[in-house]
Each structure stands twice: as structure tokens, then as C-alpha cells.
């Protein structure tokens, strides 16, 4: 039985969980029959439960019953070498779900994934990869299918940086193309005709 975000469990419910762990007994909602359970319990939290117990926000006895074997998993921003592999696996998973033959990300896209700080941890990575899977129909997902916050994360070039105008133009065109449904719509947003946009795409290999 996996209990996620155990630190958010209300204090009023915690005694019932403690009894369940100790006695392996429970009653279903609206049922007075006591039943037995044979489960292995795994609980997860991003909260410091020991501190919460000291501050009376989590039952101390429940904390010690749960804390038999503790496994700490660092956030992915501290495991940047794992990000590429996680992103590829998620991409293949979502590609199958959306009936697309996604295989990997471009080198530039992987660099952007590694550089980003991921405040939302794995859930945010999952959402970013699913978004890219929906937008991209090719085998390789390019940087243009990533959210703008990743494109300009940390050392990505941004307006005002010492970087060529060509590079800024390329990134901007890639973002517009990724967020529009047609070449004409992208051209209208960029304020150019389709022929000019086609030449820019050919120039930048988009």
C-alpha cells in the first residue's frame, strides 16, 4: 500500500492509520465489520516529518512506526545525469500513448532539460515531456517543442546577452512554429510572409 504525501494526512485521521499499521485491522466506510489486511506499507513525503512531530503537526508515535527504513531521493536538479534517461523513457511512454514514434530528444533539447532547475521535480519533467510528445510528430523532439522557460533557463541566450541576433531569431522562430498550427499563422505572428519564413526555416534547419 503506497501512501503519497503522508505528511499532509490530517491529525484526526493519523490515529486510525497508526492502528492499521500496528494491528493490521480496519473498517470500511459505513461498515462496522473489522477486517484484516496483509500489506507492506510504503509512505512518501517531501516534508521533514521529524520536525513536524516536534511541532505537533504530525504524531510522533506514527512517525516512528513509519520510519522503519528510510530512503532519501534527491530532487532531479541534484541528479542532472539522470534527467536525459528519465526524459527519454517518458517520451517513449507518451509517444506510444499518442501513437507517435518518438525515440529521443535532440542534443540541444537534452542540454536545455539538464540546465533547467526543475522546481516541480519529476512531475514537472513529466508534464514537459508529455507536452512535447503532443506537439511533435517526428522521431526526434527538438528544442522548439520545449516551454520557453526552459529555452531561456540559466545560461540559455536571452535578450541583452552577448549573443548573435541570428541565434535569438532562430530560437524565437522555433518557439512560434511550435506554438502555432500552420505556417501562415506563424508568419502572421512574426510579421513576415510565408516565403520569408520558409527561407528562415531553411537557413536555420528548422
Amino acid at each position: 500500500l503506497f501512501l503519497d504525501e503522508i505528511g499532509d494526512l490530517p491529525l484526526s485521521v493519523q490515529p486510525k492509520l497508526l492502528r492499521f499499521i500496528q494491528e493490521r485491522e480496519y473498517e470500511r466506510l459505513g461498515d462496522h465489520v473489522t477486517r484484516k489486511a496483509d500489506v507492506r506499507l510504503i509512505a512518501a513525503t517531501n516534508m521533514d516529518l521529524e520536525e513536524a512531530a516536534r511541532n505537533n503537526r504530525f504524531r510522533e508515535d506514527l512517525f516512528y512506526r513509519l520510519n522503519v527504513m528510510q530512503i532519501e531521493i534527491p530532487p532531479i536538479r541534484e541528479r542532472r545525469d539522470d534527467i536525459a534517461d528519465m526524459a527519454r523513457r517518458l517520451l517513449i511512454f507518451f509517444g506510444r500513448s499518442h501513437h507517435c514514434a518518438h525515440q529521443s530528444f535532440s542534443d540541444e533539447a537534452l542540454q536545455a532539460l539538464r540546465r533547467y532547475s526543475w522546481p516541480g521535480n519529476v512531475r514537472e519533467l513529466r508534464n514537459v515531456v508529455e507536452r512535447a510528445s503532443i506537439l511533435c510528430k517526428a522521431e526526434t523532439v527538438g528544442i522548439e517543442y520545449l516551454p520557453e522557460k526552459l529555452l531561456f533557463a540559466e545560461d540559455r541566450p536571452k535578450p541583452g546577452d552577448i549573443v548573435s541576433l541570428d541565434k535569438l531569431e532562430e530560437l524565437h522562430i522555433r518557439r512560434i512554429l511550435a506554438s502555432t498550427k500552420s505556417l501562415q499563422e506563424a508568419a502572421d505572428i512574426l510579421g513576415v510572409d510565408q516565403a520569408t519564413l520558409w527561407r528562415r526555416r531553411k537557413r536555420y534547419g528548422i
Side-chain angles (χ1 to χ4, degrees), residues 7 47-59:
M47 182 186 298
D48 186 338
L49 291 184
E50 192 169 7
E51 181 183 357
R54 286 196 298 268
N55 295 327
N56 297 318
R57 290 184 287 108
F58 197 85
R59 287 183 62 111

Side-chain angles (χ1 to χ4, degrees), residues 180-197:
T180 51
K181 298 179 180 178
S182 67
L183 195 64
Q184 182 61 58
E185 183 183 356
D188 291 342
I189 293 174
L190 292 167
V192 298
D193 56 41
Q194 285 196 53
T196 300
L197 180 55

